[in-house]
Amino acid sequence: MNWYEFGAAAPELAALGERRFEQAGMALLGTLRKDGSPRISPIEAYIVDGELLLGMMWRSMKALDLLRDPRLVLHSATCDRHGADGDVKLYGRAVNVADPELRARYGDTLQAAIDWRPEEPYHLFALDIQSAGYIVFGKQAAAMRWGPDAGLVRLPHPDA
């Protein structure tokens, strides 16, 4: 499910995710190495035309991981040790984006956001979201998860 569809299925969680990705400007991408061990890498995530897009340097290790095994987790970066910012985790698969028009609009988005445009060749993946979670600590403590079968489920908070 792309970002637009995720937003329709879980609007509250999608809004939290979009806010967290925009606020931090950086996310953490979890992939699987060739030997099956985990790899975590910083990445910038941008929403373009209803797709959550992840751009990567050509032949980077994280891109090669996704070409070999598309499973991933995308975690909103948080630097608040108290967890008051909340964090969103998206689980799914990377889908290679070959469409030249979407690639061009991705470049336009980066140009507007950070005054930089990637040059070909580079890897661009859309996130096919399969499940998601959110937790925040402090006065606004909340926990929830989303999956296509159960929908959005509010969970008991571990601090409750």
Side-chain angles (χ1 to χ4, degrees):
M1 147 178 320
N2 71 13
W3 186 260
Y4 176 79
E5 295 163 333
F6 176 63
E12 181 182 3
L13 190 50
L16 289 166
E18 190 166 346
R19 188 178 80 233
R20 288 298 301 130
F21 291 128
E22 286 178 4
Q23 282 177 342
M26 186 69 58
L28 297 173
L29 175 67
T31 61
L32 295 171
R33 298 172 190 239
K34 187 185 284 189
D35 68 1
S37 62
R39 181 189 316 274
I40 192 164
S41 306
I43 194 158
E44 295 171 65
Y46 292 94
I47 299 166
V48 180
D49 295 346
E51 300 286 352
L52 181 58
L53 298 177
L54 308 171
M56 300 169 204
M57 291 183 344
W58 185 247
R59 310 281 301 156
S60 66
M61 298 309 290
K62 60 189 165 192
L64 295 176
D65 288 347
L66 293 174
L67 289 170
R68 184 180 51 260
D69 184 338
R71 294 176 292 170
L72 63 79
V73 60
L74 186 67
H75 181 268
S76 64
T78 183
C79 294
D80 173 14
R81 69 182 183 88
H82 299 290
D85 288 340
D87 67 74
V88 173
K89 295 176 189 79
L90 302 174
Y91 304 89
R93 295 184 172 272
V95 178
N96 186 52
V97 174
D99 175 22
E101 291 178 8
L102 183 53
R103 293 176 76 85
R105 286 190 298 279
Y106 172 77
D108 295 342
T109 299
L110 264 67
Q111 187 72 51
I114 62 173
D115 195 29
W116 179 82
R117 176 182 292 276
E119 294 181 16
E120 295 287 357
Y122 67 95
H123 295 282
L124 185 61
F125 298 97
L127 180 50
D128 174 22
I129 302 165
Q130 298 175 333
S131 64
Y134 173 77
I135 191 164
V136 63
F137 294 86
K139 294 179 182 177
Q140 302 295 323
M144 61 184 89
R145 71 172 175 237
W146 173 86
D149 296 332
L152 185 67
V153 177
R154 294 189 186 284
L155 303 169
H157 196 277
D159 286 349

